[in-house]
Amino acid sequence: MERRTCLVTGANSGLGLATAIELAKRGHRVVGTVRSESKAEHLHTAADEAGVDVEHRLLDVVDAQRGAEVVDEIRPDALVNNAGYGMSAPVELVGEEEASRLIDTMLLAPVRLARHALPHQRERGGGHIIMISSILGRVTVPMTGWYQAAKHGLEAVSDALRQEVAGDGIHVVLVEPGFFRTNIFEDLDRDAERYAGLGYDEAFARARQTLERSTWAMGDPSSVASTVAKAIDSSRPRARYLVGPDAVAMDALTPFVPTAIRDRMARLAYGL
């Protein structure tokens, strides 16, 4: 297997951390980006425990200049765009500044980093760009509208980019996880407290109940990491990889349920 240089954004926790470790286990050179030295400690501690070596670079992905510097230094064979964060909030309560920050982090930044990586990969004769999306980039539910906007946008632009650069031997791959055991409950509780008393308390409560009932289906981040590594190690990766039984089920059922029925079911589930 060819040893590749892999740049993984948001590598200090969750899916990014698991991916960095898995790629290092497979013998690749791994550089993980983190936003602070304290977060870098989490990455290196996990790497030490796993018996692998990883590097880190400080990067907030919304910093365009720093992003260009990191990509030009590392010249990644594979770029894994993972950095991001969850947002559970009704659309009407999210201001433009906050929505813009989320879109910048989870849509514009991944594309910007990909654009910087493309010349290096084209010069080398090929490469991989992995976009960590979500099943919520393919389906839509209440209370995560802006998050879904970013992921739906990421899917669309990745589809276009894949077609545009395939002739150069560059593979653009979407990885679409369902719900995994990361910090999903903490993020939801944070947002529920933030927007308490503004008319959506019942919806937040029901969203948490739904997650609690779904914990049996939540996989470990290592399964996403294995999928990413499989795509990078493949000379002919698929365009999309759904990961998790919930993601597979939601994707399979959605086309067969009329919109009016899906809307009614969602409103009942969230008390809307």
Side-chain angles (χ1 to χ4, degrees):
M1 184 177 62
E2 180 184 354
R3 185 175 190 262
R4 296 186 170 95
T5 295
C6 304
L7 181 63
V8 182
T9 67
N12 60 282
S13 65
L15 304 182
L17 176 59
T19 298
I21 298 301
E22 178 64 24
L23 289 171
K25 285 181 177 179
R26 296 189 182 211
H28 298 298
R29 177 198 177 197
V30 177
V31 181
T33 75
V34 294
R35 288 188 297 163
S36 67
E37 291 293 350
S38 63
K39 293 182 183 295
E41 291 181 9
H42 292 291
L43 171 61
H44 289 293
T45 297
D48 290 343
E49 291 175 352
V52 296
D53 292 322
V54 298
E55 304 171 42
H56 82 273
R57 298 294 187 275
L58 295 181
L59 172 65
D60 185 332
V61 293
V62 300
D63 185 335
Q65 180 176 344
R66 176 60 180 160
E69 292 171 353
V70 170
V71 172
D72 288 343
E73 176 199 354
I74 304 302
R75 300 170 58 87
D77 300 298
L79 168 65
V80 182
N81 276 310
N82 165 77
Y85 57 93
M87 177 189 288
S88 296
V91 172
E92 71 168 307
L93 297 184
V94 179
E96 288 189 13
E97 182 177 348
E98 186 175 6
S100 295
R101 182 169 65 89
L102 184 141
I103 295 295
D104 193 4
T105 302
M106 300 176 62
L107 175 55
L108 298 181
V111 177
R112 187 163 53 235
L113 292 173
R115 289 172 53 223
H116 289 309
L118 285 173
H120 302 300
Q121 295 183 349
R122 190 174 285 116
E123 180 182 344
R124 195 174 287 115
H128 292 68
I129 294 173
I130 312 296
M131 301 293 201
I132 304 298
S133 181
S134 166
I135 184 57
L136 296 183
R138 301 187 70 168
V139 303
T140 305
V141 298
M143 304 296 288
T144 54
W146 282 110
Y147 177 88
Q148 291 168 144
K151 293 301 188 182
H152 278 257
L154 185 64
E155 299 248 339
V157 75
S158 296
D159 282 340
L161 182 62
R162 182 181 66 251
Q163 297 165 17
E164 292 162 359
V165 301
D168 296 312
I170 298 170
H171 305 284
V172 179
V173 178
L174 283 160
V175 175
E176 303 161 318
F179 296 99
F180 279 79
R181 292 192 294 271
T182 54
N183 56 350
I184 187 169
F185 286 102
E186 292 82 354
D187 289 346
L188 179 59
D189 291 342
R190 175 204 64 208
D191 291 334
E193 181 178 353
R194 179 180 181 186
Y195 295 106
L198 298 178
Y200 289 90
D201 291 355
E202 179 66 17
F204 275 112
R206 294 201 184 191
R208 199 181 206 290
Q209 291 170 4
T210 298
L211 282 177
E212 290 171 348
R213 289 194 295 267
S214 303
T215 53
W216 65 271
M218 292 183 184
D220 187 87
S222 61
S223 61
V224 177
S226 296
T227 300
V228 173
K230 176 183 177 181
I232 290 174
D233 289 340
S234 174
S235 60
R236 298 184 64 183
R238 301 205 307 260
R240 282 181 168 80
Y241 292 85
L242 282 165
V243 189
D246 54 343
V248 173
M250 291 172 71
D251 181 66
L253 291 174
T254 296
F256 299 102
V257 182
T259 300
I261 294 177
R262 289 203 307 270
D263 286 357
R264 181 61 176 164
M265 292 170 61
R267 290 179 60 202
L268 288 172
Y270 285 83
L272 296 169

